[in-house]
Coordinates of all heavy atoms in Angstrom, one line a residue:
M10 N 0.9 -1.2 0.0 CA 0.0 0.0 0.0 C 0.9 1.2 0.0 O 1.6 1.5 0.9 CB -0.9 0.0 1.2 CG -1.8 1.2 1.4 SD -2.9 1.1 2.8 CE -3.5 2.8 2.8
S11 N 0.8 2.0 -1.1 CA 1.6 3.2 -1.1 C 0.8 4.4 -1.7 O 0.0 4.2 -2.6 CB 2.8 3.0 -2.0 OG 2.4 2.6 -3.3
T12 N 1.1 5.5 -1.2 CA 0.4 6.7 -1.6 C 1.3 7.6 -2.5 O 2.4 7.9 -2.0 CB -0.2 7.5 -0.5 OG1 -1.0 6.7 0.4 CG2 -0.9 8.7 -0.9
V13 N 0.9 7.8 -3.7 CA 1.7 8.6 -4.6 C 1.3 10.0 -4.5 O 0.1 10.4 -4.8 CB 1.6 8.1 -6.0 CG1 2.5 8.9 -7.0 CG2 2.0 6.6 -6.1
S14 N 2.2 10.9 -4.1 CA 1.9 12.3 -4.0 C 2.1 13.0 -5.3 O 3.0 12.6 -6.1 CB 2.7 12.9 -2.9 OG 4.1 12.8 -3.3
P15 N 1.2 13.9 -5.7 CA 1.4 14.7 -6.9 C 2.6 15.5 -6.9 O 3.2 15.8 -5.8 CB 0.1 15.5 -7.0 CG -0.3 15.7 -5.6 CD 0.1 14.4 -4.9
P16 N 3.0 16.0 -8.1 CA 4.2 16.9 -8.1 C 4.0 18.2 -7.3 O 2.9 18.6 -7.0 CB 4.4 17.2 -9.6 CG 3.0 16.9 -10.2 CD 2.4 15.8 -9.4
I17 N 5.2 18.7 -6.9 CA 5.1 19.9 -6.0 C 4.4 21.1 -6.6 O 3.8 21.9 -5.9 CB 6.6 20.3 -5.7 CG1 7.4 19.1 -5.1 CG2 6.6 21.5 -4.7 CD1 6.8 18.6 -3.8
S18 N 4.3 21.1 -8.0 CA 3.7 22.2 -8.6 C 2.2 22.2 -8.4 O 1.5 23.2 -8.5 CB 3.9 22.2 -10.1 OG 3.5 20.9 -10.7
E19 N 1.7 21.0 -8.0 CA 0.2 20.9 -7.7 C 0.0 21.3 -6.2 O 0.6 20.8 -5.3 CB -0.2 19.4 -7.8 CG -0.2 18.9 -9.2 CD -1.4 19.5 -10.0 OE1 -2.5 19.6 -9.4 OE2 -1.2 19.8 -11.2
P20 N -0.9 22.3 -6.0 CA -1.2 22.7 -4.7 C -2.0 21.6 -3.9 O -2.6 20.8 -4.5 CB -2.1 24.0 -4.9 CG -2.7 23.8 -6.2 CD -1.7 23.0 -7.0
D21 N -1.9 21.7 -2.6 CA -2.6 20.7 -1.8 C -4.1 21.0 -1.9 O -4.5 22.1 -2.0 CB -2.2 20.9 -0.3 CG -2.7 19.8 0.6 OD1 -2.2 18.7 0.6 OD2 -3.7 20.1 1.3
P22 N -4.9 19.9 -1.9 CA -6.3 20.0 -2.0 C -6.9 20.9 -1.0 O -8.0 21.5 -1.2 CB -6.8 18.6 -1.9 CG -5.7 17.7 -2.4 CD -4.5 18.5 -1.9
S23 N -6.3 21.1 0.2 CA -6.8 21.9 1.2 C -6.9 23.3 0.8 O -7.7 24.1 1.4 CB -5.9 21.7 2.5 OG -4.6 22.3 2.3
T24 N -6.1 23.8 -0.2 CA -6.1 25.1 -0.6 C -7.5 25.5 -1.2 O -7.9 26.6 -1.1 CB -5.0 25.4 -1.6 OG1 -5.2 24.5 -2.7 CG2 -3.6 25.2 -1.0
F25 N -8.1 24.5 -1.8 CA -9.4 24.7 -2.4 C -10.5 24.9 -1.4 O -11.5 25.6 -1.6 CB -9.8 23.5 -3.3 CG -8.8 23.3 -4.4 CD1 -8.1 22.1 -4.5 CD2 -8.5 24.3 -5.3 CE1 -7.2 21.9 -5.5 CE2 -7.6 24.1 -6.4 CZ -6.9 22.9 -6.4
A26 N -10.3 24.3 -0.2 CA -11.2 24.5 0.9 C -10.9 25.7 1.8 O -11.7 26.1 2.6 CB -11.2 23.2 1.8
C27 N -9.8 26.3 1.6 CA -9.4 27.4 2.4 C -10.3 28.6 2.1 O -10.4 29.0 0.9 CB -7.9 27.7 2.1 SG -7.3 29.1 3.1
P28 N -10.8 29.3 3.1 CA -11.8 30.4 2.8 C -11.1 31.7 2.4 O -11.7 32.5 1.9 CB -12.4 30.5 4.2 CG -11.4 30.0 5.2 CD -10.7 28.9 4.5
S29 N -9.8 31.7 2.7 CA -9.1 33.0 2.3 C -7.7 32.7 1.8 O -7.0 31.8 2.2 CB -9.0 33.9 3.6 OG -8.2 35.0 3.3
G30 N -7.4 33.4 0.7 CA -6.1 33.1 0.0 C -4.9 33.5 0.9 O -3.8 32.9 0.7
D31 N -5.0 34.4 1.9 CA -3.9 34.8 2.6 C -3.5 33.7 3.7 O -2.6 33.9 4.5 CB -4.1 36.1 3.3 CG -5.3 36.2 4.2 OD1 -6.0 35.1 4.3 OD2 -5.5 37.2 4.8
K32 N -4.3 32.7 3.8 CA -4.0 31.6 4.7 C -3.1 30.5 4.0 O -2.8 29.5 4.6 CB -5.3 30.9 5.2 CG -6.3 31.8 5.9 CD -5.7 32.3 7.2 CE -6.7 32.9 8.1 NZ -7.3 34.1 7.5
I33 N -2.9 30.8 2.7 CA -2.1 29.8 2.0 C -0.6 30.0 2.2 O -0.1 31.2 2.3 CB -2.4 29.9 0.5 CG1 -3.9 29.7 0.2 CG2 -1.6 28.8 -0.3 CD1 -4.4 28.4 0.6
G34 N 0.2 29.0 2.4 CA 1.6 29.1 2.6 C 2.3 27.8 2.2 O 1.6 26.8 1.9
P35 N 3.6 27.8 2.1 CA 4.3 26.6 1.7 C 4.3 25.6 2.7 O 4.4 25.8 3.9 CB 5.7 27.2 1.4 CG 5.9 28.3 2.3 CD 4.5 28.9 2.4
C36 N 4.2 24.3 2.3 CA 4.3 23.2 3.2 C 5.7 23.2 3.9 O 6.7 23.5 3.3 CB 4.1 21.9 2.4 SG 4.6 20.4 3.3
G37 N 5.7 22.8 5.2 CA 6.9 22.9 6.0 C 7.9 21.9 5.5 O 9.1 21.9 5.9
S38 N 7.5 20.9 4.7 CA 8.4 19.8 4.3 C 8.8 19.9 2.8 O 9.9 19.9 2.5 CB 7.8 18.5 4.6 OG 8.6 17.4 4.2
C39 N 7.7 20.0 2.0 CA 8.0 19.9 0.5 C 7.7 21.2 -0.2 O 7.9 21.3 -1.4 CB 7.1 18.8 -0.1 SG 5.3 19.2 -0.1
Q40 N 7.4 22.3 0.6 CA 7.1 23.6 0.0 C 5.9 23.7 -0.9 O 5.8 24.7 -1.6 CB 8.4 24.1 -0.7 CG 9.7 23.9 0.1 CD 9.6 24.7 1.4 OE1 9.4 25.8 1.5 NE2 9.9 24.0 2.5
R41 N 5.1 22.7 -1.0 CA 3.9 22.7 -1.8 C 3.0 23.8 -1.2 O 2.9 24.0 0.0 CB 3.3 21.4 -1.7 CG 2.0 21.3 -2.6 CD 1.2 20.0 -2.2 NE 2.1 18.8 -2.1 CZ 2.5 18.1 -3.2 NH1 2.1 18.4 -4.4 NH2 3.3 17.1 -3.0
K42 N 2.2 24.4 -2.0 CA 1.2 25.4 -1.5 C 0.1 24.6 -0.8 O -0.5 23.7 -1.3 CB 0.6 26.2 -2.7 CG 1.6 27.2 -3.3 CD 1.0 27.8 -4.6 CE -0.2 28.7 -4.3 NZ -0.7 29.4 -5.5
T43 N -0.1 25.0 0.4 CA -1.1 24.4 1.3 C -1.8 25.4 2.2 O -1.3 26.5 2.4 CB -0.4 23.2 2.1 OG1 -1.4 22.5 2.8 CG2 0.5 23.8 3.1
W44 N -2.9 25.0 2.7 CA -3.6 25.8 3.7 C -2.9 25.7 5.0 O -2.9 24.7 5.7 CB -5.1 25.3 3.8 CG -5.9 26.1 4.8 CD1 -5.5 27.1 5.6 CD2 -7.3 25.8 5.1 NE1 -6.5 27.6 6.3 CE2 -7.6 26.8 6.1 CE3 -8.2 24.9 4.7 CZ2 -8.9 26.8 6.6 CZ3 -9.5 24.9 5.3 CH2 -9.8 25.9 6.2
K45 N -2.1 26.7 5.3 CA -1.1 26.6 6.3 C -1.5 27.4 7.6 O -1.2 26.9 8.7 CB 0.3 27.2 5.8 CG 1.4 27.0 6.8 CD 2.7 27.4 6.2 CE 3.9 27.1 7.1 NZ 5.2 27.5 6.5
Y46 N -2.1 28.5 7.4 CA -2.4 29.4 8.5 C -3.8 29.4 9.0 O -4.7 29.0 8.2 CB -1.9 30.8 8.2 CG -0.5 30.9 7.7 CD1 -0.3 31.1 6.3 CD2 0.6 30.8 8.5 CE1 1.0 31.2 5.8 CE2 1.9 30.8 8.0 CZ 2.1 31.0 6.7 OH 3.3 31.1 6.2
G47 N -4.1 29.9 10.2 CA -5.4 30.1 10.6 C -6.1 28.8 11.1 O -5.5 27.7 11.1
N48 N -7.3 29.0 11.5 CA -8.1 27.8 12.0 C -8.4 26.8 10.9 O -8.9 27.2 9.9 CB -9.4 28.3 12.6 CG -10.1 27.2 13.3 OD1 -9.5 26.2 13.7 ND2 -11.4 27.3 13.5
G49 N -8.0 25.6 11.1 CA -8.2 24.6 10.1 C -7.0 24.4 9.2 O -6.9 23.4 8.4
G50 N -6.0 25.2 9.3 CA -4.8 25.1 8.5 C -3.8 24.1 9.1 O -4.0 23.6 10.2
S51 N -2.8 23.7 8.3 CA -1.8 22.8 8.8 C -0.5 23.2 8.2 O -0.4 23.6 7.1 CB -2.2 21.4 8.2 OG -1.1 20.5 8.5
P52 N 0.6 23.1 9.0 CA 1.9 23.4 8.6 C 2.5 22.5 7.5 O 3.4 22.8 6.8 CB 2.8 23.3 9.8 CG 2.1 22.4 10.7 CD 0.6 22.6 10.4
L53 N 1.8 21.3 7.4 CA 2.2 20.4 6.3 C 1.1 20.1 5.4 O -0.1 20.2 5.8 CB 2.7 19.1 7.0 CG 3.9 19.2 7.9 CD1 4.2 17.8 8.5 CD2 5.1 19.6 7.1
C54 N 1.4 19.9 4.1 CA 0.4 19.4 3.2 C -0.1 18.0 3.6 O 0.6 17.3 4.4 CB 0.9 19.5 1.8 SG 2.1 18.1 1.4
Q55 N -1.2 17.6 3.0 CA -1.8 16.4 3.4 C -0.9 15.2 3.1 O -0.9 14.2 3.7 CB -3.2 16.2 2.8 CG -3.1 15.9 1.3 CD -4.5 15.5 0.8 OE1 -5.5 16.0 1.3 NE2 -4.6 14.6 -0.1
W56 N -0.1 15.4 2.0 CA 0.8 14.3 1.6 C 1.9 14.1 2.6 O 2.4 13.0 2.8 CB 1.4 14.6 0.2 CG 0.4 15.0 -0.7 CD1 0.2 16.3 -1.3 CD2 -0.7 14.3 -1.3 NE1 -0.9 16.3 -2.1 CE2 -1.5 15.1 -2.1 CE3 -1.1 12.9 -1.1 CZ2 -2.6 14.6 -2.8 CZ3 -2.2 12.5 -1.8 CH2 -2.9 13.3 -2.7
C57 N 2.4 15.2 3.3 CA 3.4 15.1 4.3 C 2.8 14.8 5.6 O 3.4 14.2 6.5 CB 4.2 16.4 4.3 SG 5.1 16.7 2.8
M58 N 1.6 15.3 5.8 CA 0.9 15.1 7.1 C 0.4 13.7 7.4 O 0.4 13.2 8.5 CB -0.3 16.1 7.3 CG -1.0 16.1 8.6 SD 0.1 16.5 10.0 CE 0.1 18.3 9.8
G59 N 0.1 13.0 6.3 CA -0.5 11.7 6.4 C 0.4 10.7 7.3 O -0.1 10.3 8.3
P60 N 1.6 10.5 6.9 CA 2.4 9.6 7.7 C 2.7 10.1 9.1 O 2.9 9.3 10.0 CB 3.7 9.4 6.8 CG 3.7 10.6 5.9 CD 2.3 10.9 5.7
V61 N 2.8 11.4 9.2 CA 3.1 12.0 10.5 C 1.9 11.7 11.5 O 2.1 11.4 12.6 CB 3.3 13.5 10.4 CG1 3.5 14.1 11.8 CG2 4.6 13.7 9.6
Q62 N 0.7 11.9 11.0 CA -0.5 11.7 11.8 C -0.6 10.2 12.2 O -1.1 9.9 13.3 CB -1.8 12.1 11.1 CG -2.0 13.6 11.2 CD -3.4 14.0 10.7 OE1 -4.0 13.3 10.0 NE2 -3.9 15.1 11.2
Q63 N -0.1 9.3 11.3 CA -0.2 7.9 11.7 C 0.7 7.6 12.8 O 0.4 6.8 13.7 CB 0.2 7.1 10.5 CG -0.9 7.0 9.4 CD -0.5 6.1 8.2 OE1 0.5 5.6 8.2 NE2 -1.4 6.0 7.3
Q64 N 1.8 8.4 12.9 CA 2.7 8.2 14.1 C 2.2 8.8 15.3 O 2.2 8.2 16.4 CB 4.1 8.8 13.7 CG 4.8 8.0 12.7 CD 6.2 8.6 12.4 OE1 6.6 9.7 13.0 NE2 7.0 8.0 11.6
W65 N 1.7 10.0 15.2 CA 1.2 10.7 16.4 C -0.2 10.3 16.8 O -0.5 10.4 18.0 CB 1.2 12.2 16.1 CG 2.5 12.8 15.9 CD1 3.7 12.3 16.2 CD2 2.8 14.2 15.5 NE1 4.7 13.1 15.9 CE2 4.2 14.3 15.5 CE3 2.0 15.3 15.2 CZ2 4.8 15.5 15.2 CZ3 2.6 16.4 14.8 CH2 4.0 16.6 14.8
G66 N -1.0 9.8 15.9 CA -2.4 9.6 16.2 C -3.2 10.8 15.9 O -2.7 12.0 16.1
T67 N -4.4 10.7 15.5 CA -5.2 11.8 15.1 C -5.6 12.6 16.3 O -5.8 13.8 16.3 CB -6.4 11.4 14.3 OG1 -7.1 10.4 15.1 CG2 -6.0 10.9 13.0
T68 N -5.7 11.9 17.5 CA -6.1 12.6 18.7 C -5.0 12.4 19.7 O -4.9 11.4 20.4 CB -7.5 12.0 19.2 OG1 -7.3 10.6 19.4 CG2 -8.6 12.3 18.3
V69 N -4.2 13.4 19.9 CA -3.1 13.4 20.8 C -3.6 13.9 22.2 O -4.0 15.0 22.3 CB -2.0 14.2 20.4 CG1 -0.8 14.2 21.4 CG2 -1.5 13.7 19.0
R70 N -3.7 13.0 23.1 CA -4.2 13.3 24.4 C -3.1 13.1 25.5 O -2.1 12.4 25.2 CB -5.4 12.4 24.8 CG -6.5 12.6 23.8 CD -7.4 13.8 24.2 NE -8.5 13.9 23.3 CZ -9.5 14.8 23.4 NH1 -9.5 15.6 24.4 NH2 -10.5 14.8 22.6
H71 N -3.3 13.6 26.6 CA -2.3 13.4 27.7 C -2.5 11.9 28.2 O -3.5 11.3 28.0 CB -2.6 14.3 28.9 CG -4.0 14.2 29.5 ND1 -4.3 13.2 30.3 CD2 -5.0 15.0 29.3 CE1 -5.6 13.4 30.7 NE2 -6.1 14.5 30.0
K72 N -1.4 11.4 28.8 CA -1.4 10.0 29.1 C -2.4 9.8 30.2 O -2.7 10.6 31.0 CB 0.0 9.7 29.7 CG 1.0 9.6 28.5 CD 2.4 9.2 29.1 CE 3.4 9.1 28.0 NZ 4.7 8.7 28.5
N73 N -2.9 8.6 30.2 CA -3.9 8.2 31.2 C -3.2 8.1 32.6 O -2.3 7.3 32.8 CB -4.5 6.9 30.8 CG -5.6 6.5 31.8 OD1 -6.0 7.3 32.7 ND2 -6.2 5.3 31.6
T74 N -3.6 9.0 33.5 CA -3.0 9.0 34.8 C -3.7 8.1 35.8 O -3.4 8.0 37.0 CB -2.9 10.4 35.4 OG1 -4.2 11.0 35.4 CG2 -2.1 11.3 34.5
R75 N -4.8 7.5 35.3 CA -5.6 6.7 36.3 C -5.2 5.3 36.2 O -6.0 4.4 36.8 CB -7.1 6.9 35.9 CG -7.6 8.3 36.3 CD -9.1 8.3 36.3 NE -9.7 8.1 34.9 CZ -11.0 8.1 34.7 NH1 -11.8 8.3 35.6 NH2 -11.4 8.0 33.4
S76 N -4.1 5.0 35.6 CA -3.7 3.6 35.5 C -3.3 3.0 36.9 O -3.1 1.8 37.1 CB -2.5 3.4 34.5 OG -1.4 4.2 34.9
Q77 N -3.1 4.0 37.8 CA -2.7 3.5 39.2 C -3.8 2.9 39.9 O -3.6 2.1 40.8 CB -2.2 4.7 40.0 CG -1.0 5.4 39.4 CD -0.5 6.6 40.2 OE1 -1.0 6.8 41.3 NE2 0.3 7.5 39.6
L78 N -5.0 3.3 39.5 CA -6.2 2.7 40.2 C -6.5 1.3 39.8 O -7.2 1.0 38.8 CB -7.4 3.6 39.9 CG -7.3 5.1 40.4 CD1 -8.5 5.9 40.0 CD2 -7.1 5.1 41.9
T79 N -5.9 0.4 40.4 CA -6.1 -1.0 40.1 C -7.0 -1.6 41.1 O -6.9 -1.3 42.3 CB -4.7 -1.8 40.2 OG1 -4.1 -1.5 41.4 CG2 -3.8 -1.3 39.0
P80 N -8.0 -2.3 40.7 CA -9.0 -2.9 41.6 C -8.3 -4.0 42.5 O -7.4 -4.7 42.1 CB -10.0 -3.6 40.7 CG -9.2 -3.8 39.4 CD -8.2 -2.7 39.3
P81 N -8.7 -4.0 43.8 CA -8.1 -5.0 44.7 C -8.4 -6.4 44.3 O -9.6 -6.8 44.1 CB -8.7 -4.6 46.0 CG -10.0 -3.9 45.7 CD -9.8 -3.2 44.4
G82 N -7.4 -7.2 44.1 CA -7.6 -8.5 43.7 C -7.4 -9.5 44.8 O -7.0 -9.1 45.9
P83 N -7.8 -10.7 44.6 CA -7.6 -11.7 45.7 C -6.1 -11.9 45.9 O -5.3 -12.0 45.0 CB -8.2 -12.9 45.1 CG -8.2 -12.7 43.6 CD -8.3 -11.3 43.4
T84 N -5.7 -11.9 47.2 CA -4.3 -12.1 47.6 C -4.2 -13.5 48.1 O -5.0 -14.1 48.8 CB -3.9 -11.1 48.6 OG1 -4.8 -11.2 49.7 CG2 -4.0 -9.7 48.0
G85 N -3.0 -14.0 47.9 CA -2.7 -15.3 48.4 C -2.7 -16.4 47.4 O -2.9 -17.0 46.7
Ligands
ZN14 ZN1 4.3 18.6 1.9

């Protein structure tokens, strides 16, 4: 399974969804034009963001601190 990214000359599809042209900026990795600034923007184009999100997870939350609460089990 491999995702082929379009050439750099092609802007990221997010630019078409961007409500304002001044929110467009170069991707932080490949310099492709992408919706970079403002609410909904991303510093990376979707082609660069994809594998990164897979590593980070789409919902990055703080670690579960309640793991200490273990139910009392039978002893002996
Ligand atoms: Zn990129």
Side-chain angles (χ1 to χ4, degrees):
M10 176 176 171
S11 63
T12 303
V13 179
S14 60
I17 304 301
S18 58
E19 291 286 324
D21 187 77
S23 66
T24 57
F25 301 119
C27 183
S29 177
D31 61 357
K32 300 293 195 297
I33 304 298
C36 166
S38 178
C39 71
Q40 312 301 308
R41 181 194 315 278
K42 288 172 68 175
T43 187
W44 181 0
K45 186 173 184 179
Y46 309 103
N48 187 24
S51 171
L53 297 175
C54 72
Q55 73 172 34
W56 312 111
C57 297
M58 182 60 79
V61 175
Q62 276 193 335
Q63 286 183 359
Q64 289 182 356
W65 291 353
T67 52
T68 55
V69 179
R70 300 277 185 174
H71 58 79
K72 290 184 179 177
N73 185 5
T74 57
R75 291 194 293 180
S76 60
Q77 300 176 14
L78 297 177
T79 53
T84 56

